[in-house]
Amino acid sequence: MYLPDLSPVADSLALSSLVAALPLFTLFLLLGGVRLKAHWAGLASLAVAIVIAVAAYGMPTRLALLSASQGAAFGLFPIMWIVVTAIWIYQLTVVSGRFEDLRRAFGLISDDPRIQAMIIAFCFGGLLEALAGFGAPVAITGVMLMALGFAPMRAAITVLVANTAPVAFGAIAIPIITAGDLTKIPYTEIGAYVGRETPLLALFVPLLLSALVDGRRGMRQTWPAALVCGVVFALAQFISANYISVELTDIIASLAGLAALVLFLRVWQPQGGEQSRADLRAEAQAERLASESGSGQTGAPRAGRGGGSSDTSAPVGTATRARPAPQGAAGSGSRVLMAFLPYLIVIAVFSMAKLWTPVKEFLTGTDLKVGWPGLDGQVLTAAGKASATTVYTFPWLSSPGTLLLLSGLIVAAVYRVGPAVTAREFAATVHKLRWALLTVASVLALAYVMNLSGQTITIGTWIAGTGAAFAFLSPTLGWLGTAVTGSDTSANALFATLQQTAANKAGLDPTLLVAANTSGGVVGKMISPQNLTIAATAVGLVGRESTLFRGAIKWSLLLLLALSVLVFLQSNVLAWMLP
């Protein structure tokens, strides 16, 4: 059986950590510096991780390769299964001719693109994160912003930054529940701590989105609306996490933020919306012309204009044209309802599956747990216990992807999309996502190799050795884990126990640091190759993940710094903020 050595290089934890971090350096260098396509960067980093696992850590080659294979399987199912089905549902709205109605419906609330970014990317994206998570919000809201006239790159960066504050409580708070299961700290207690950290990020995210859409002018002209949306979302997140339900936190916060913004817009409207919209259309047109002239843009799609126009195309690009727009007055109640119907169906299906206990227990009971052949029982943790990571869970029925598949079939039936067209759209979606599938599989394979070989724990243990200063560095572990795996849940699986142990050694509050791991993960998600690939694929920028990375990394680091300062202060002078 393989037992990881935390200091395999010259018996030095510091040197071992530097060696262990080489796969991550490779990944970020190839993405941000060399500008290599994400799937090649992922495969190259995976190769580096396997070499280090075998040469530096002494892990048998067979076990290293098996670890990679299990990680790749997890990346494909359930993670990319969720993305495929989420984008497929969008495709159904396009071919049915209903997506144009959805764009008009959001325009009824506000035709200001800066406000639409708050509504769609932040509030609606937060709701999708609460129900599905794992990339679905980025995929769906990205294409919705494009349909409203956003250029592909701006749409992708906007939704990546928006998908921060809700992440800790995503997928019915599964990251927090996972941390509780591993540390045996009640997850409600962890959720209460997180509910006193991420709301402070949520306060500023709507204003940041306005800046991303329209620069300083946007911030100056829309700050009242951004403030209302951010304050209400943050307050609702705090109240729900502490006093109502950890699981329902993002649902409550997203709906509250959306309702507050809609009500506020009835008495106040920002100036400059028309100019901002014109600027975005000009930018989108310029990107489209650059793409058509072959100047480096890759597959930038045209926003759907409805009515069977040849300009109507889905982000992942299918050959099927949209139907003519449905009968009835544009903006009528029935057409608005039908436009929102797919997402109402998604909310209903997920609410029943995640919140109704009998259904939830039934679905969970169908999960298949399989010891990965040749790997299970052959790897120990650094503590000398059998690793639980080598057991692969196959949630064939309870997966959010399967629930999205069910929702899509209902949508197809209601929209009267024929079985042949429905199947063809699904096949076309899988085909167009093929490079994204490879990217996510390689990144998760990288994460599993680093985790099971001991590379991840080496890095974490080294950082944890900073004593009281670890409170400042604690969110960095969550940020790092999520950046690598693309999942705050996976980051907690990697580091929650380590955070707890380090806190006890340093005389810090263990719950605070476990919560900090979760909160740090929310700002790491926007630079995860997995999430970058999902965003790039959704808006038709496959191969330009490196550009997205460079656009998102500065915001990720800025928010990480703010969160690190907050956690450090909460460990001493701001201890009164904690439960």
Side-chain angles (χ1 to χ4, degrees), residues 438-450:
L438 177 58
T439 299
V440 174
S442 63
V443 170
L444 266 296
L446 162 70
Y448 267 65
V449 171
M450 291 187 65

PDB file of all heavy atoms in Angstrom, residues 438-450:
ATOM      1  N   LEU A 438     -12.450  17.256 -22.637  1.00  0.00           N
ATOM      2  CA  LEU A 438     -11.053  16.847 -22.460  1.00  0.00           C
ATOM      3  C   LEU A 438     -10.365  17.717 -21.413  1.00  0.00           C
ATOM      4  O   LEU A 438      -9.601  17.215 -20.577  1.00  0.00           O
ATOM      5  CB  LEU A 438     -10.320  16.940 -23.799  1.00  0.00           C
ATOM      6  CG  LEU A 438      -8.820  16.621 -23.767  1.00  0.00           C
ATOM      7  CD1 LEU A 438      -8.572  15.214 -23.239  1.00  0.00           C
ATOM      8  CD2 LEU A 438      -8.207  16.793 -25.160  1.00  0.00           C
ATOM      9  N   THR A 439     -10.632  19.029 -21.446  1.00  0.00           N
ATOM     10  CA  THR A 439     -10.003  19.937 -20.484  1.00  0.00           C
ATOM     11  C   THR A 439     -10.370  19.582 -19.057  1.00  0.00           C
ATOM     12  O   THR A 439      -9.509  19.445 -18.178  1.00  0.00           O
ATOM     13  CB  THR A 439     -10.416  21.391 -20.774  1.00  0.00           C
ATOM     14  OG1 THR A 439      -9.975  21.746 -22.080  1.00  0.00           O
ATOM     15  CG2 THR A 439      -9.811  22.337 -19.751  1.00  0.00           C
ATOM     16  N   VAL A 440     -11.664  19.439 -18.802  1.00  0.00           N
ATOM     17  CA  VAL A 440     -12.120  19.170 -17.439  1.00  0.00           C
ATOM     18  C   VAL A 440     -11.648  17.793 -16.974  1.00  0.00           C
ATOM     19  O   VAL A 440     -11.238  17.618 -15.820  1.00  0.00           O
ATOM     20  CB  VAL A 440     -13.654  19.285 -17.349  1.00  0.00           C
ATOM     21  CG1 VAL A 440     -14.151  18.857 -15.978  1.00  0.00           C
ATOM     22  CG2 VAL A 440     -14.083  20.716 -17.631  1.00  0.00           C
ATOM     23  N   ALA A 441     -11.660  16.824 -17.860  1.00  0.00           N
ATOM     24  CA  ALA A 441     -11.169  15.495 -17.493  1.00  0.00           C
ATOM     25  C   ALA A 441      -9.690  15.554 -17.103  1.00  0.00           C
ATOM     26  O   ALA A 441      -9.269  14.938 -16.108  1.00  0.00           O
ATOM     27  CB  ALA A 441     -11.374  14.523 -18.658  1.00  0.00           C
ATOM     28  N   SER A 442      -8.886  16.312 -17.851  1.00  0.00           N
ATOM     29  CA  SER A 442      -7.456  16.390 -17.551  1.00  0.00           C
ATOM     30  C   SER A 442      -7.196  17.155 -16.254  1.00  0.00           C
ATOM     31  O   SER A 442      -6.319  16.784 -15.468  1.00  0.00           O
ATOM     32  CB  SER A 442      -6.707  17.046 -18.712  1.00  0.00           C
ATOM     33  OG  SER A 442      -7.130  18.377 -18.911  1.00  0.00           O
ATOM     34  N   VAL A 443      -7.967  18.222 -15.995  1.00  0.00           N
ATOM     35  CA  VAL A 443      -7.761  19.004 -14.769  1.00  0.00           C
ATOM     36  C   VAL A 443      -8.153  18.195 -13.541  1.00  0.00           C
ATOM     37  O   VAL A 443      -7.461  18.227 -12.513  1.00  0.00           O
ATOM     38  CB  VAL A 443      -8.562  20.319 -14.840  1.00  0.00           C
ATOM     39  CG1 VAL A 443      -8.555  21.019 -13.485  1.00  0.00           C
ATOM     40  CG2 VAL A 443      -7.973  21.237 -15.901  1.00  0.00           C
ATOM     41  N   LEU A 444      -9.264  17.465 -13.622  1.00  0.00           N
ATOM     42  CA  LEU A 444      -9.655  16.632 -12.472  1.00  0.00           C
ATOM     43  C   LEU A 444      -8.702  15.457 -12.297  1.00  0.00           C
ATOM     44  O   LEU A 444      -8.432  15.022 -11.174  1.00  0.00           O
ATOM     45  CB  LEU A 444     -11.097  16.142 -12.642  1.00  0.00           C
ATOM     46  CG  LEU A 444     -12.176  17.010 -11.973  1.00  0.00           C
ATOM     47  CD1 LEU A 444     -12.003  17.009 -10.464  1.00  0.00           C
ATOM     48  CD2 LEU A 444     -12.135  18.442 -12.483  1.00  0.00           C
ATOM     49  N   ALA A 445      -8.161  14.936 -13.399  1.00  0.00           N
ATOM     50  CA  ALA A 445      -7.136  13.898 -13.290  1.00  0.00           C
ATOM     51  C   ALA A 445      -5.911  14.454 -12.572  1.00  0.00           C
ATOM     52  O   ALA A 445      -5.324  13.790 -11.707  1.00  0.00           O
ATOM     53  CB  ALA A 445      -6.760  13.394 -14.687  1.00  0.00           C
ATOM     54  N   LEU A 446      -5.525  15.680 -12.913  1.00  0.00           N
ATOM     55  CA  LEU A 446      -4.422  16.360 -12.234  1.00  0.00           C
ATOM     56  C   LEU A 446      -4.701  16.480 -10.736  1.00  0.00           C
ATOM     57  O   LEU A 446      -3.831  16.190  -9.901  1.00  0.00           O
ATOM     58  CB  LEU A 446      -4.237  17.750 -12.847  1.00  0.00           C
ATOM     59  CG  LEU A 446      -3.437  18.785 -12.052  1.00  0.00           C
ATOM     60  CD1 LEU A 446      -1.973  18.402 -12.017  1.00  0.00           C
ATOM     61  CD2 LEU A 446      -3.614  20.170 -12.661  1.00  0.00           C
ATOM     62  N   ALA A 447      -5.909  16.901 -10.381  1.00  0.00           N
ATOM     63  CA  ALA A 447      -6.260  17.084  -8.972  1.00  0.00           C
ATOM     64  C   ALA A 447      -6.173  15.767  -8.207  1.00  0.00           C
ATOM     65  O   ALA A 447      -5.677  15.727  -7.069  1.00  0.00           O
ATOM     66  CB  ALA A 447      -7.666  17.666  -8.860  1.00  0.00           C
ATOM     67  N   TYR A 448      -6.640  14.679  -8.809  1.00  0.00           N
ATOM     68  CA  TYR A 448      -6.617  13.385  -8.121  1.00  0.00           C
ATOM     69  C   TYR A 448      -5.191  12.876  -7.944  1.00  0.00           C
ATOM     70  O   TYR A 448      -4.853  12.311  -6.901  1.00  0.00           O
ATOM     71  CB  TYR A 448      -7.464  12.371  -8.904  1.00  0.00           C
ATOM     72  CG  TYR A 448      -8.891  12.291  -8.418  1.00  0.00           C
ATOM     73  CD1 TYR A 448      -9.749  13.377  -8.536  1.00  0.00           C
ATOM     74  CD2 TYR A 448      -9.390  11.146  -7.815  1.00  0.00           C
ATOM     75  CE1 TYR A 448     -11.052  13.324  -8.099  1.00  0.00           C
ATOM     76  CE2 TYR A 448     -10.689  11.073  -7.364  1.00  0.00           C
ATOM     77  CZ  TYR A 448     -11.520  12.159  -7.504  1.00  0.00           C
ATOM     78  OH  TYR A 448     -12.816  12.103  -7.051  1.00  0.00           O
ATOM     79  N   VAL A 449      -4.355  13.065  -8.952  1.00  0.00           N
ATOM     80  CA  VAL A 449      -2.961  12.630  -8.822  1.00  0.00           C
ATOM     81  C   VAL A 449      -2.272  13.418  -7.712  1.00  0.00           C
ATOM     82  O   VAL A 449      -1.569  12.843  -6.856  1.00  0.00           O
ATOM     83  CB  VAL A 449      -2.208  12.799 -10.156  1.00  0.00           C
ATOM     84  CG1 VAL A 449      -0.713  12.550  -9.963  1.00  0.00           C
ATOM     85  CG2 VAL A 449      -2.763  11.837 -11.207  1.00  0.00           C
ATOM     86  N   MET A 450      -2.469  14.724  -7.692  1.00  0.00           N
ATOM     87  CA  MET A 450      -1.843  15.551  -6.654  1.00  0.00           C
ATOM     88  C   MET A 450      -2.370  15.196  -5.271  1.00  0.00           C
ATOM     89  O   MET A 450      -1.621  15.177  -4.290  1.00  0.00           O
ATOM     90  CB  MET A 450      -2.089  17.036  -6.944  1.00  0.00           C
ATOM     91  CG  MET A 450      -1.349  17.568  -8.163  1.00  0.00           C
ATOM     92  SD  MET A 450      -1.522  19.369  -8.350  1.00  0.00           S
ATOM     93  CE  MET A 450      -0.663  19.945  -6.877  1.00  0.00           C
TER      94      MET A 450
END
